């Protein structure tokens, strides 16, 4: 079984009795007869459980005092208290001080074993939940300055306190999980756990085991593996790529949403569940529903609220901001000075389509800092040569050759004007018509840029879907 239990009692007969029952059932047991021996044993080996007598024959260092010591210095070590002359007041005091259970002597061996099993299982579950809550409570800023990001932040503030289910639609590699964590963090469920399940990561059987858990009856005991639903009960589940599952699995998941209970695989016992579900999709879920590949009823149950994350290529004004953020974060993790991107490198990155979205950018910055930065004098600058080949080689020279062929027939003044017009059109397209960002990038005042665009007959800024055109 592998669990270690410390038995603390000043009566030798009780120590031997309890130790014998536990060892016969596969537990590893240590014993102590007083406060001092118990503390020494705890320091030598951290047990999975302590069985502790209320009275240890030492009025200054009795069992309740030892209980306080354990709860203060040994997180997740449950304590089962026992007493031969217990009263209601004693039991209440023990529970108030953090004991998991209280038993009167003489006790039934089955009662002891049941209490031990439940105490250890509860401790494991509490530890897992706390780990999940710690992860969820790490501040997760929704990064960017585009209108889409502003809209997402506003939607989160509106949706989070309502408690309803939500669908987040975004490209593979976008910030769907971060958005789900923010919704959880700002909700009434924040005190409970947040869990993530990616359906594409498991086969059908594995997916059900991961979600529902399993229960296997052996000759001597019942082996229980708790699933994610049980671990985060009361919290929030972010489930991604439900559209990749079978219609049969979708119906099972729908039943949980309708009935608020589930059954472990191999069991018949119903387990009540109260979770908030946030579903992430990278495909057009409406098309899948109409094509019969996704349950229409499940979709209706999930889409109380919908958040759409625009792909990075559609919000160019976020690119420079995100590059700086990921650079600062990666450099700090590597104990390095952050690097600056050259104007040429920034230009290429701004026009790159980012098929892997935000995650691709983060990975690229990590790669640059750990692999690509040269030891030259410009080692503090990320140049074109430092970028991955798949990004720089994506820039075709065909358009450049066509442009050169065209302007070769023009005068120098006409060629310069043609080049400038082409250049500014590209920059406006890159920054979605945002005049402030375009002016900053090309190194001009806003007013000067307005005059230049007018002289080049570039006046229809709405065609760029600008975030700020004035």
């Amino acid at each position: 079984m592998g669990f270690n239990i410390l038995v603390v009692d000043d009566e030798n007969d009780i120590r031997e009795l309890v130790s014998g029952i536990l060892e016969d059932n596969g537990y590893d047991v240590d014993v102590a007869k007083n406060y001092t021996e118990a503390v020494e044993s705890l320091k030598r080996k951290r047990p999975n459980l302590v069985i502790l007598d209320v009275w240890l024959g030492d009025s200054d260092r009795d069992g309740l005092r030892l209980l306080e010591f354990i709860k203060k210095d040994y997180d997740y070590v449950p304590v089962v208290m026992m007493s031969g002359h217990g009263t209601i007041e004693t039991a209440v005091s023990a529970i108030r001080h953090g004991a998991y259970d209280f038993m009167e002597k003489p006790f039934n061996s089955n009662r002891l074993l049941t209490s031990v099993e439940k105490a250890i299982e509860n401790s494991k579950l509490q530890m897992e939940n706390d780990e999940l809550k710690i992860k969820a409570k790490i501040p997760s800023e929704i990064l960017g300055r585009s209108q889409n990001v502003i809209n997402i932040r506003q939607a989160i503030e509106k949706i989070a306190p309502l408690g309803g289910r939500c669908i987040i639609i975004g490209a593979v590699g976008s910030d769907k999980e971060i958005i789900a964590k923010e919704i959880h963090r700002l909700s009434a469920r924040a005190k409970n756990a947040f869990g993530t399940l990616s359906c594409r990561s498991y086969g059908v059987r594995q997916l059900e085991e991961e979600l529902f858990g399993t229960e296997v009856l052996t000759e001597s005991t019942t082996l229980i593996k708790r699933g994610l639903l049980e671990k985060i009960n009361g919290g929030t589940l972010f489930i991604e790529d439900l559209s990749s599952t079978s219609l049969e699995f979708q119906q099972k998941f729908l039943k949980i949403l309708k009935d608020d209970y589930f059954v472990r695989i191999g069991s018949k016992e119903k387990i009540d569940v109260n979770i908030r579900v946030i579903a992430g999709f990278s495909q057009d879920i409406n098309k899948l529903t109409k094509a019969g590949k996704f349950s229409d009823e499940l979709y209706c149950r999930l889409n109380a609220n919908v958040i759409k994350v625009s792909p990075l290529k559609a919000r160019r004004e976020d690119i420079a901001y995100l590059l700086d953020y990921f650079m600062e974060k990666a450099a700090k993790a590597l104990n390095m000075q952050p690097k600056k991107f050259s104007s040429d490198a920034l230009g290429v990155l701004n026009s790159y389509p980012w098929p892997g979205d935000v995650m691709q950018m983060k990975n690229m910055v990590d790669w640059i800092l750990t692999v690509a930065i040269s030891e030259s004098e410009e080692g503090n600058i990320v140049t074109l040569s430092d970028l991955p080949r798949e990004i720089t080689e994506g820039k075709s020279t065909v358009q450049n050759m066509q442009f050169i062929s065209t302007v070769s027939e023009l005068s120098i003044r006409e060629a310069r004007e043609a080049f400038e017009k082409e250049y500014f059109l590209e920059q406006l397209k890159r920054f979605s018509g945002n005049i402030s960002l375009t002016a900053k990038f090309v190194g001009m005042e806003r007013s000067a840029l307005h005059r230049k665009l007018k002289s080049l007959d570039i006046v229809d800024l709405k065609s760029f879907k600008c975030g700020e055109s004035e």
Side-chain angles (χ1 to χ4, degrees), residues 66-84:
L66 182 57
L67 171 63
E68 290 183 29
F69 171 79
I70 294 170
K71 301 315 293 183
K72 178 176 178 290
D73 292 348
Y74 292 86
D75 290 340
Y76 308 113
V77 175
V79 179
V80 173
M81 301 292 290
M82 57 184 179
S83 176

Side-chain angles (χ1 to χ4, degrees), residues 275-328:
I275 58 171
R276 180 182 201 169
V277 175
I278 301 175
F281 294 96
S282 55
Q283 296 175 279
D284 188 330
I285 193 65
N286 285 310
K287 286 184 179 179
L288 292 174
T289 302
K290 290 177 181 177
K293 296 180 180 179
F294 192 79
S295 166
D296 185 62
E297 188 177 357
L298 177 56
Y299 176 64
C300 291
R301 290 270 177 177
L302 292 171
N303 74 343
N305 303 282
V306 178
I307 293 177
K308 293 184 178 180
V309 186
S310 296
L312 193 52
K313 64 183 180 181
R315 45 190 177 97
R316 299 288 181 184
E317 59 266 50
D318 286 339
I319 290 177
Y321 177 83
L322 289 171
L323 285 169
D324 286 343
Y325 172 82
F326 289 131
M327 177 60 73
E328 290 279 349

Side-chain angles (χ1 to χ4, degrees), residues 13-204:
D13 291 346
I14 296 296
R15 292 197 302 272
E16 290 184 356
L17 173 64
V18 174
S19 298
I21 294 172
L22 295 173
E23 288 173 346
D24 287 346
N25 284 272
Y27 293 100
D28 177 31
V29 182
D30 291 319
V31 296
K33 65 176 179 288
N34 55 39
Y35 180 98
T36 302
E37 285 188 7
V39 171
E40 290 175 353
S41 180
L42 285 163
K43 290 179 179 178
R44 283 195 308 270
K45 180 165 62 177
R46 183 189 187 95
N48 298 102
L49 173 76
V50 175
I51 297 178
L52 174 61
D53 190 19
V54 172
W55 306 100
L56 296 177
D58 187 338
S59 59
D60 291 331
R61 294 181 173 179
D62 60 10
L64 290 177
R65 185 183 175 102
L66 182 57
L67 171 63
E68 290 183 29
F69 171 79
I70 294 170
K71 301 315 293 183
K72 178 176 178 290
D73 292 348
Y74 292 86
D75 290 340
Y76 308 113
V77 175
V79 179
V80 173
M81 301 292 290
M82 57 184 179
S83 176
H85 39 79
T87 64
I88 293 176
E89 289 78 14
T90 305
V92 170
S93 179
I95 299 299
R96 185 184 297 124
H97 283 79
Y100 175 80
D101 196 4
F102 182 90
M103 296 187 300
E104 280 192 82
K105 303 175 187 176
F107 46 78
N108 180 280
S109 60
N110 288 333
R111 165 83 169 85
L112 172 66
L113 292 171
T114 299
S115 180
V116 166
E117 182 182 352
K118 288 184 175 180
I120 291 175
E121 192 62 38
N122 181 75
S123 177
K124 287 170 57 184
L125 188 60
Q126 184 63 47
M127 187 184 302
E128 291 171 351
N129 281 352
D130 286 351
E131 288 174 354
L132 288 166
K133 282 189 279 187
I134 287 170
K135 292 177 182 178
K137 287 183 178 180
I138 296 173
S140 304
E141 184 181 359
I142 308 302
L143 301 169
R145 296 171 177 172
S146 64
Q147 188 59 51
N148 179 239
V149 173
I150 293 170
N151 293 342
I152 290 171
R153 290 196 192 103
Q154 292 172 345
I156 290 172
E157 291 177 3
K158 178 181 177 182
I159 291 170
L162 298 179
R165 299 179 186 122
C166 179
I167 285 176
I168 303 174
I169 301 172
V172 174
S174 59
D175 289 335
K176 296 191 290 293
E177 183 177 352
I178 292 178
I179 293 170
K181 284 182 177 180
E182 280 294 278
I183 293 173
H184 172 77
R185 193 171 69 90
L186 297 175
S187 73
R189 295 180 182 267
K191 62 182 181 295
N192 297 313
F194 175 94
T196 297
L197 182 65
S198 176
C199 296
R200 289 188 184 277
S201 302
Y202 302 95
V204 176

Side-chain angles (χ1 to χ4, degrees), residues 172-388:
V172 174
S174 59
D175 289 335
K176 296 191 290 293
E177 183 177 352
I178 292 178
I179 293 170
K181 284 182 177 180
E182 280 294 278
I183 293 173
H184 172 77
R185 193 171 69 90
L186 297 175
S187 73
R189 295 180 182 267
K191 62 182 181 295
N192 297 313
F194 175 94
T196 297
L197 182 65
S198 176
C199 296
R200 289 188 184 277
S201 302
Y202 302 95
V204 176
R205 177 70 178 182
Q206 290 176 313
L207 182 59
E208 293 187 7
E209 290 179 355
E210 190 71 17
L211 193 63
F212 307 132
T214 59
E215 191 169 310
V216 179
L217 181 65
T218 68
E219 292 184 1
S220 58
T221 187
T222 301
L223 301 176
I224 294 174
K225 178 184 176 183
R226 300 183 189 277
L228 187 58
L229 288 175
E230 205 164 347
K231 292 177 182 177
I232 67 168
N233 203 353
T236 302
L237 170 66
F238 174 61
I239 185 164
E240 193 161 18
D241 293 319
L242 256 173
S243 55
S244 68
T245 64
S246 66
L247 289 173
E248 181 183 359
F249 177 83
Q250 291 168 28
Q251 289 302 315
K252 291 180 180 180
F253 192 75
L254 173 63
K255 184 173 175 59
I256 297 169
L257 301 185
K258 292 167 67 175
D259 299 340
D260 292 325
Y261 74 81
F262 68 97
V263 177
R264 295 192 199 107
I265 296 174
S267 173
K268 295 181 180 179
E269 181 186 355
K270 295 179 180 179
I271 301 174
D272 292 334
V273 65
N274 174 19
I275 58 171
R276 180 182 201 169
V277 175
I278 301 175
F281 294 96
S282 55
Q283 296 175 279
D284 188 330
I285 193 65
N286 285 310
K287 286 184 179 179
L288 292 174
T289 302
K290 290 177 181 177
K293 296 180 180 179
F294 192 79
S295 166
D296 185 62
E297 188 177 357
L298 177 56
Y299 176 64
C300 291
R301 290 270 177 177
L302 292 171
N303 74 343
N305 303 282
V306 178
I307 293 177
K308 293 184 178 180
V309 186
S310 296
L312 193 52
K313 64 183 180 181
R315 45 190 177 97
R316 299 288 181 184
E317 59 266 50
D318 286 339
I319 290 177
Y321 177 83
L322 289 171
L323 285 169
D324 286 343
Y325 172 82
F326 289 131
M327 177 60 73
E328 290 279 349
K329 189 173 181 179
K332 184 177 181 180
L334 295 168
N335 196 26
M336 297 172 61
Q337 288 296 316
K339 314 297 180 182
K340 295 293 183 183
F341 290 88
S342 69
S343 58
D344 287 347
L346 193 58
V348 170
L349 295 172
N350 268 302
S351 59
Y352 183 66
W354 297 106
D357 217 79
V358 175
M359 185 55 67
Q360 182 189 6
M361 177 185 285
K362 179 185 180 300
N363 292 340
M364 180 206 70
V365 173
D366 291 344
W367 179 84
I368 287 172
L369 280 182
T370 55
V371 178
I373 290 295
S374 66
E375 298 298 327
S376 66
E377 293 180 0
E378 294 189 60
N380 63 328
I381 301 294
V382 179
T383 64
L384 274 175
S385 62
D386 295 317
L387 300 182

